[in-house]
């Protein structure tokens, strides 16, 4: 991923001096399933690295659905006045009927029909950074082993639920999306107290 960013800045050298903003979220302390070990570490390390690269960073951890939507709305104002806007998310993500969602810590997800009211659709993230003038980036470390999937499939309440995230498509040529595993695949959370393999590689 470092090579990717170096390539971007080599092709667009003015980006290195542009206004850059980032939203960094790490969701670890889930209330209805076991906590994840490392998203808090991942978000802290990513926030520090982005600040070192000149980004103005909004860093939030362990957000419920209301707080998550409010934080995204607050970040939209930052993105609207920036050249470059980046969102980094570490935590649970889930694919339902071909749609990708981020999972707030207070989600219960007893049925796939809960998705639209309990989760954050990827399209919401893309809309919040749409005002950035030059480049939009979304980095998702959200393909971890997901207990919500197992529970819903066991209860026959999630036949359309996938293990990993689905392919993310956008028609915007100035938008880059990176995520931790191939479509439909999962990646481990990493050694407790450290970073996930994806975040460690990105850093």
């Amino acid at each position: 991923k470092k090579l990717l960013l170096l390539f971007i800045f080599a092709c667009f050298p003015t980006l290195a001096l542009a206004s850059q903003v980032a939203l960094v979220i790490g969701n670890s302390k889930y209330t209805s399933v076991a906590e994840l070990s490392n998203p808090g570490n991942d978000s802290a390390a990513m926030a520090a690295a982005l600040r070192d690269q000149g980004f103005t960073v909004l860093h939030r951890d362990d957000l419920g659905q209301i707080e998550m939507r409010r934080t995204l709305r607050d970040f939209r104002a930052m993105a609207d006045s920036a050249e470059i806007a980046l969102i980094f998310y570490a935590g649970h993500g889930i694919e339902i009927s071909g749609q990708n969602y981020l999972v707030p810590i207070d989600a219960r997800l007893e049925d796939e029909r809960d998705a639209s009211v309990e989760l954050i659709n990827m399209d919401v993230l893309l809309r919040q950074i749409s005002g950035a003038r030059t480049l939009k980036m979304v980095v998702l470390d959200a393909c971890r082993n997901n207990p919500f999937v197992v529970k819903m499939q066991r209860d026959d309440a999630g036949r359309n639920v996938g293990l990993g995230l689905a392919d993310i498509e956008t028609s915007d040529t100035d938008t880059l999306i990176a995520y931790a595993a191939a479509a439909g695949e999962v990646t481990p959370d990493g050694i407790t107290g450290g970073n996930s393999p994806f975040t460690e590689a990105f850093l």
Side-chain angles (χ1 to χ4, degrees), residues 11-99:
C11 292
F12 305 99
T14 57
L15 295 186
L17 300 176
S19 58
Q20 305 169 130
V21 299
L23 171 61
V24 176
I25 299 173
N27 279 352
S28 298
K29 297 180 180 179
Y30 287 90
T31 58
S32 62
V33 295
E35 295 183 7
L36 288 169
S37 300
N38 295 328
N41 302 327
D42 296 335
S43 68
M46 186 63 70
L50 289 169
R51 289 191 182 101
D52 287 344
Q53 294 298 319
F55 281 80
T56 299
V57 177
L58 178 61
H59 178 198
R60 298 286 185 269
D61 285 340
D62 297 321
L63 300 180
Q65 55 182 300
I66 294 175
E67 293 87 357
M68 206 162 172
R69 294 182 190 278
R70 183 181 298 121
T71 298
L72 286 166
R73 183 187 62 196
D74 292 343
F75 184 66
R76 182 180 66 205
M78 297 172 61
D80 283 349
S81 60
E83 294 292 334
I84 303 170
L86 181 150
I87 295 177
F88 172 84
Y89 171 81
H92 279 311
I94 194 168
E95 177 262 315
I96 300 176
S97 299
Q99 295 290 311

Side-chain angles (χ1 to χ4, degrees), residues 93-102 112-113 115-116 119-123 126 140 149 152-153 158-170 177 179 183-184:
I94 194 168
E95 177 262 315
I96 300 176
S97 299
Q99 295 290 311
N100 291 315
Y101 298 90
L102 307 187
E112 65 185 78
R113 292 169 292 183
S116 61
L119 308 182
I120 308 296
N121 193 296
M122 261 295 299
D123 288 343
L126 295 173
L140 300 177
V149 176
M152 293 167 70
Q153 291 179 340
R159 291 183 297 276
N160 297 316
V161 179
L163 287 175
L165 297 178
D167 280 327
I168 302 171
E169 297 181 359
T170 175
I177 302 172
Y179 51 119

Side-chain angles (χ1 to χ4, degrees), residues 183-202:
E185 301 294 329
V186 297
T187 186
D189 192 33
I191 299 173
T192 299
N195 294 120
S196 76
F198 176 78
T199 294
E200 185 175 344
F202 195 98

Side-chain angles (χ1 to χ4, degrees), residues 138-178:
V138 177
V139 180
L140 300 177
D141 194 351
C143 299
R144 304 159 196 246
N145 292 325
N146 196 325
F148 290 106
V149 176
V150 176
K151 178 183 182 302
M152 293 167 70
Q153 291 179 340
R154 183 181 63 239
D155 294 343
D156 199 30
R159 291 183 297 276
N160 297 316
V161 179
L163 287 175
L165 297 178
D167 280 327
I168 302 171
E169 297 181 359
T170 175
S171 59
D172 295 333
T173 58
D174 57 357
T175 301
L176 294 175
I177 302 172

